[in-house]
Amino acid sequence: MRVTEFDYALPEELIAQHPAAQRRASRLLRVEGATGVLQDLTFADLPRDIDFRDVVVLNDTRVIKARLAAKKSTGGKLEVFVERLLGTHEAFVLMRASHPVATGATISIGETAIATVLGREADLYHIRLSEPVEAVLEQHGSVPLPPYITHAPGPEDVERYQTVYAERPGAVAAPTAGLHFDMPMLNALAGRGVKIARITLHIGPGTFQPVRVENIADHKMHSERYNVPQSTVDAIVAARKAGGRVLAVGTTALRALESASRSGELKAGGGETDLYVTPGFQFRTVDRLLTNFHLPKSTLLMLVCAFGGVDTIRKAYAHAIAKKYRFFSYGDAMLIEKTP
């Protein structure tokens, strides 16, 4: 398929610049993959569409304050974007500077932290910090808002560009489908017997990169770290036996579960995944997908089309634009029933 088949025109005013007043106040478009039927709901309606036998799978990654202002030893300014934590004091980073930074060079962050460049792999620099990376990020970093959000990050973004169940630091972008949940809704679902399970997938900056090749088969997917615990596998097996369904909250939860199902059977464990889901993909674990609206020509839009059907998703996006749904990270959500 060609990348142009996943393009669409979006009025700029539909790109959400701020979150809804309350997390559950977003709108929800329900999409039947098999029939193409669309239903306009609110996110607060979601619990009525989840059976007590179902399992809801959340991505518990935590967004780090990945963007840092730094200085070279010569006094020149540069921006450091932490792409991946490698341990207490080390990380892979992107650097925006007027000239490449040499191996062995040092840069300063704040008053006391010093980063030494250990080497380079493609666009990523391997650095070692004199202080723990997470402490430096917390003190000096800023929220890495997506490029289509035009305001500088503020206190609102520190809270709202993070799910209420975020636990494991490592993502540079939020699993945005989960931003709509508040704890009362999750507690209410659990109180009805719905199993709430978790995976971890640390989202990298590649999530915002458009596909730049004409034939989508030529695109190389970025790699991300994930883990599926045994407790989640057990919950899904139990739900299946009880006649329940698996609802993945976000494309990242889906990619983690389907990565762990590549052998044909869902297995606990993890590692690196570069799973690239395009139309024709055989889904083995996920039955339903909760997701936001995605960028044109993106791998996430291709994944959604694979799950709900290309024609059905095109129809759904056209409907959402006509009804003035809010798009992207701070926007509204879709609940997609898988195409048989």
Side-chain angles (χ1 to χ4, degrees), residues 31-340:
V31 182
E32 282 281 356
T35 63
V37 171
L38 308 177
Q39 187 178 9
D40 295 306
L41 303 169
T42 67
F43 196 81
D45 295 323
L46 178 66
R48 296 185 302 185
D49 211 348
I50 299 176
D51 190 271
F52 72 93
R53 296 167 294 181
D54 294 345
V55 57
V56 175
V57 183
L58 310 174
N59 181 4
D60 64 5
T61 188
R62 186 171 186 83
V63 181
I64 58 177
K65 295 181 179 179
R67 201 178 301 277
L68 294 163
K71 288 183 180 180
K72 298 180 183 179
S73 57
T74 58
K77 295 181 180 180
L78 72 159
E79 182 182 82
V80 174
F81 189 94
V82 176
E83 193 270 353
R84 181 173 302 196
L85 304 178
L86 299 176
T88 305
H89 287 79
E90 296 184 17
F92 276 137
V93 304
L94 298 166
M95 291 191 189
R96 183 179 297 174
S98 54
H99 300 287
V101 182
T103 298
T106 59
I107 60 175
S108 59
I109 300 168
E111 297 296 325
T112 60
I114 301 296
T116 303
V117 178
L118 303 180
R120 187 172 180 179
E121 296 184 18
D123 293 334
L124 296 175
Y125 291 87
H126 183 185
I127 67 168
R128 180 189 293 123
L129 277 162
S130 59
E131 301 175 12
V133 179
E134 290 185 26
V136 172
L137 294 176
E138 188 60 34
Q139 184 175 0
H140 302 291
S142 60
V143 178
L145 291 177
Y148 45 76
I149 292 179
T150 57
H151 67 267
E156 174 191 53
D157 303 296
V158 173
E159 178 194 0
R160 295 296 300 275
Y161 195 64
Q162 195 85 266
T163 64
V164 296
Y165 48 81
E167 285 188 358
R168 304 180 189 279
V172 300
T176 55
L179 297 179
H180 306 282
F181 285 97
D182 55 25
M183 288 310 300
M185 180 180 286
L186 291 171
N187 291 336
L189 287 170
R192 285 178 37 220
V194 176
K195 181 64 177 177
I196 308 296
R198 301 190 179 202
I199 59 88
T200 304
L201 186 144
H202 294 311
I203 306 160
T207 190
F208 299 118
Q209 293 179 359
V211 176
R212 295 187 173 90
V213 294
E214 182 58 29
N215 186 333
I216 66 171
D218 296 331
H219 176 71
K220 181 173 175 55
M221 193 73 176
H222 62 281
S223 179
E224 294 166 321
R225 289 174 296 153
Y226 80 100
N227 181 66
V228 177
Q230 185 63 50
S231 58
T232 295
V233 175
D234 294 342
I236 289 172
V237 170
R240 289 266 190 251
K241 289 181 178 179
R245 298 166 295 177
V246 177
L247 169 59
V249 177
T251 57
T252 56
L254 181 147
R255 288 183 66 235
L257 292 173
E258 296 298 334
S259 294
S261 306
R262 280 178 157 175
S263 67
E265 178 184 354
L266 178 63
K267 295 181 179 179
E272 299 280 332
T273 181
D274 60 356
L275 183 66
Y276 182 24
V277 179
T278 57
F281 181 85
Q282 181 181 357
F283 295 93
R284 301 180 184 277
T285 298
V286 178
D287 303 304
R288 315 173 84 198
L289 173 63
L290 182 73
T291 186
N292 282 20
F293 295 92
H294 300 293
L295 291 163
K297 299 183 179 181
S298 66
T299 59
L300 301 182
L301 181 55
M302 294 172 192
L303 181 154
V304 170
C305 286
F307 194 81
V310 175
D311 291 339
T312 297
I313 296 302
R314 284 175 181 161
K315 175 184 172 183
Y317 270 58
H319 174 88
I321 291 170
K323 295 290 186 178
K324 298 189 182 303
Y325 276 69
R326 302 167 74 241
F327 275 61
F328 307 155
S329 293
Y330 277 153
D332 297 315
M334 307 172 72
L335 175 64
I336 307 173
E337 306 288 343
K338 184 174 63 179
T339 299

